[in-house]
């Protein structure tokens, strides 16, 4: 199988097969089926919210590449009059800068820096993109879901129910079927804002925001919370997990905040903290909703690191933006080149990692197949919530 993997790695440098997950299953007897927000997806690799998911051309490129899911750029909620409590986040993006970042332990990773925050076009333009997202999802070619930043009150301040109701109603109408899949983005820039100075304030958001969203529409909502890395210690991250129990999924965790430079960042410091917190949650036998890993996912082995701590899939952003010379593939879009390395790299890819886990006795074949979700389900002490019905 390793010899076959070497051949596939070289062969696919000019392009992946149309259904590479089926090829992996046929050739290696490895089932990469994963889950995201209650959807069964052919493999665990998706794209997180950001500048790479703000128009239909990008979605078409991602579908052609073979991504399993995409989260749209985060829109800022508004009330019927167009007022936005979080308007400070609806600012135009500066040019993204992809750069190296050295971690505290000296490892060289990548980060993407930009000053913008959320969707800065009209809400109607966003709803048009959501209609396209719903068509992608209904066609079963790729799951595409919207992302929202809603009003977050100070302690003692009420939620702006009109903003929650109007925004969610419009999204549900644009989606056009039930249930509405949705990510609520607790962004890394929020972690650097004075709003997030109070621990109890953050925990209140995590406990009450899901209820505010769900009660704003009669339509069922599949809700994922993308949790930030707060400016507190690891124990508080666990408190955030506990407070988020009413969500359907948790995306763990958003980028770190550099208060000196006033920017969010990634790299190995991010994945080190995220995995450390997930390990602490596992040791505490903390029950959570379904988990989606994110943060410095730059190899198949890093996907497995998150999976072995309970993550059913991963969201990637930075790895889809590297200089072309950083990918071993010599043709194709960046998402396709990234998938080639993440899945087929003969040393660090997803297939190689799962074969090694099998040789170590950490993963066993069922019915002759290695299954990605077996790794998720057997390597963690988490008690995930049942997936919402399709």
């Amino acid at each position: 199988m390793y010899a076959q993997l070497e051949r596939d790695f070289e062969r696919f440098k000019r392009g992946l097969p149309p259904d590479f997950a089926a090829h992996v299953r046929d050739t290696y007897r490895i089932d990469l089926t994963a889950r995201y927000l209650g959807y069964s997806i052919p493999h665990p690799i998706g794209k997180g919210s950001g500048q790479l998911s703000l128009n239909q051309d990008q979605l078409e490129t991602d579908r052609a590449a073979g991504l399993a899911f995409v989260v749209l750029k985060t829109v800022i909620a508004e009330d019927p009059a167009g007022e936005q409590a979080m308007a400070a986040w609806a600012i135009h993006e500066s040019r993204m800068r992809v750069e190296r970042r050295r971690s505290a332990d000296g490892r060289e990773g990548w980060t993407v820096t930009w000053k913008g925050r959320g969707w800065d076009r009209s809400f109607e333009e966003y709803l048009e993109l959501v209609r396209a997202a719903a068509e992608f999802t209904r066609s079963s070619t790729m799951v595409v879901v919207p992302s929202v930043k809603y009003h977050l009150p100070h302690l003692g301040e009420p939620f702006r129910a009109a903003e929650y109701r109007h925004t969610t109603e419009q999204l549900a109408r644009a989606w056009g079927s039930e249930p509405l899949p949705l990510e609520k983005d607790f962004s890394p820039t929020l972690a650097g804002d004075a709003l997030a100075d109070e621990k109890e304030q953050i925990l209140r958001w995590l406990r009450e925001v899901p209820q505010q969203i769900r009660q704003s529409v009669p339509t069922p909502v599949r809700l994922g919370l993308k949790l930030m890395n707060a400016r507190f210690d690891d124990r508080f991250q666990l408190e955030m997990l506990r407070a988020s129990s009413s969500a359907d999924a948790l995306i763990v965790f958003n980028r770190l905040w550099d208060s000196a430079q006033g920017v969010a960042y990634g790299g190995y410091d991010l994945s080190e903290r995220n995995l450390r917190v997930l390990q602490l949650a596992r040791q505490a036998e903390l029950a959570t909703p379904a988990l989606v890993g994110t943060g410095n996912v730059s190899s198949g082995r890093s996907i497995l690191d998150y999976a072995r701590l309970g993550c059913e899939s991963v969201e990637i952003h930075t790895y889809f933006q590297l200089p072309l010379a950083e990918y071993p593939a010599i043709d194709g879009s960046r998402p396709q080149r990234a998938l080639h390395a993440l899945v087929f790299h003969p040393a660090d890819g997803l297939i190689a990692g799962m074969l090694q886990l099998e040789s170590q006795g950490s993963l066993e074949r069922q019915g002759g197949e290695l299954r990605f979700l077996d790794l998720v389900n057997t390597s963690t002490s988490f008690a995930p919530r049942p997936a919402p019905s399709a």
Side-chain angles (χ1 to χ4, degrees):
M1 284 191 178
Y2 282 106
Q4 177 66 47
L5 184 56
E6 291 273 6
R7 290 193 294 270
D8 277 351
F9 180 66
E10 291 301 320
R11 185 159 61 110
F12 297 151
K13 282 184 176 181
R14 292 190 177 276
L16 295 175
D19 186 348
F20 72 82
H23 172 83
V24 171
R25 191 166 192 170
D26 292 342
T27 305
Y28 303 94
R29 307 305 297 162
I30 293 178
D31 181 1
L32 294 179
T33 299
R35 284 190 293 266
Y36 167 73
L37 206 53
Y39 291 97
S40 178
I41 51 179
H43 61 82
I45 304 167
K47 178 183 284 186
S49 175
Q51 284 297 93
L52 304 181
S53 52
L54 47 70
N55 62 58
Q56 194 163 339
D57 286 345
Q58 290 171 321
L59 298 182
E60 292 286 0
T61 297
D62 292 339
R63 174 164 62 178
L67 290 187
F69 68 94
V70 173
V71 184
L72 298 179
K73 178 73 174 176
T74 300
V75 72
I76 310 304
E78 61 181 51
D79 65 17
E83 296 294 320
Q84 298 172 314
M86 308 294 280
W89 272 262
I91 61 176
H92 184 69
E93 302 280 357
S94 60
R95 185 176 183 273
M96 291 185 292
R97 189 170 69 251
V98 182
E99 54 193 352
R100 293 281 192 177
R101 184 167 182 117
R102 186 181 296 273
S103 65
D105 62 6
R107 286 178 289 175
E108 284 281 342
W110 290 94
T111 190
V112 177
T113 304
W114 72 96
K115 295 290 187 179
R117 296 178 174 187
W119 181 266
D120 61 352
R121 306 172 193 174
S122 72
F123 189 32
E124 184 50 51
E125 288 178 277
Y126 194 81
L127 294 175
E128 188 61 35
L129 189 58
V130 171
R131 294 182 190 101
E135 287 303 315
F136 276 99
T137 304
R138 280 192 285 269
S139 69
S140 300
T141 54
M142 184 176 68
V143 174
V144 186
V145 306
S147 172
V148 188
K149 187 182 298 295
Y150 293 91
H151 170 240
L152 298 173
H154 291 281
L155 280 174
E157 179 187 0
F159 285 88
R160 297 192 182 183
E163 182 181 281
Y164 278 78
R165 183 170 55 254
H166 176 72
T167 299
T168 315
E169 282 177 346
Q170 294 300 310
L171 290 171
R173 188 172 293 117
W175 187 259
S177 62
E178 298 182 356
L180 168 68
L182 188 65
E183 277 197 15
K184 164 65 183 86
D185 185 8
F186 289 94
S187 70
T189 51
L190 176 64
D193 193 88
L195 262 178
D197 283 344
E198 296 286 339
K199 291 182 179 180
E200 284 306 314
Q201 193 157 272
I202 295 171
L203 296 178
R204 179 199 176 193
W205 298 337
L206 299 178
R207 286 191 296 262
E208 298 184 25
V209 161
Q211 178 184 1
Q212 291 291 327
I213 294 171
R214 290 194 173 106
Q215 71 185 14
S216 65
V217 289
T219 303
V221 178
R222 291 183 184 178
L223 180 63
L225 299 183
K226 189 169 189 179
L227 301 183
M228 63 185 174
N229 268 295
R231 288 173 290 147
F232 303 107
D233 60 17
D234 291 353
R235 288 173 294 180
F236 184 69
Q237 292 297 116
L238 295 183
E239 288 301 310
M240 290 172 63
L241 289 175
R242 291 188 181 96
S244 305
S245 60
S246 63
D248 295 301
L250 303 178
I251 297 85
V252 287
F253 297 93
N254 226 318
R255 295 183 301 159
L256 299 168
W257 179 253
D258 186 327
S259 56
Q261 297 185 30
V263 295
Y265 68 95
Y268 284 101
D269 286 332
L270 173 58
S271 54
E272 180 72 18
R273 189 189 200 202
N274 288 359
L275 294 169
R276 185 176 66 242
V277 170
L278 291 175
Q279 179 65 41
L280 290 173
R282 176 184 171 186
Q283 292 169 351
E285 298 186 346
L286 179 63
T288 74
L291 298 176
V292 179
T294 192
N296 193 39
V297 179
S298 54
S299 69
R301 291 185 183 273
S302 59
I303 296 172
L304 295 175
D305 287 340
Y306 279 103
R308 297 180 78 187
L309 292 171
C311 295
E312 299 179 337
S313 54
V314 293
E315 287 186 8
I316 299 174
H317 192 260
T318 298
Y319 194 64
F320 294 133
Q321 300 180 71
L322 302 188
L324 291 179
E326 295 296 319
Y327 303 108
I330 57 177
D331 201 0
S333 64
R334 276 184 171 82
Q336 187 175 69
R337 294 179 192 222
L339 286 169
H340 167 256
L342 292 169
V343 177
F344 290 98
H345 194 284
D348 294 326
L350 192 55
I351 297 170
M354 291 181 69
L355 291 175
Q356 184 177 15
L357 290 173
E358 179 188 25
S359 70
Q360 295 170 346
S362 300
L363 184 62
E364 296 182 355
R365 292 184 182 264
Q366 305 292 331
E369 292 186 333
L370 296 178
R371 300 188 300 204
F372 176 80
L373 286 176
D374 283 348
L375 185 64
V376 174
N377 295 335
T378 60
S379 297
T380 175
S381 298
F382 284 67
R385 288 157 55 95
S389 57

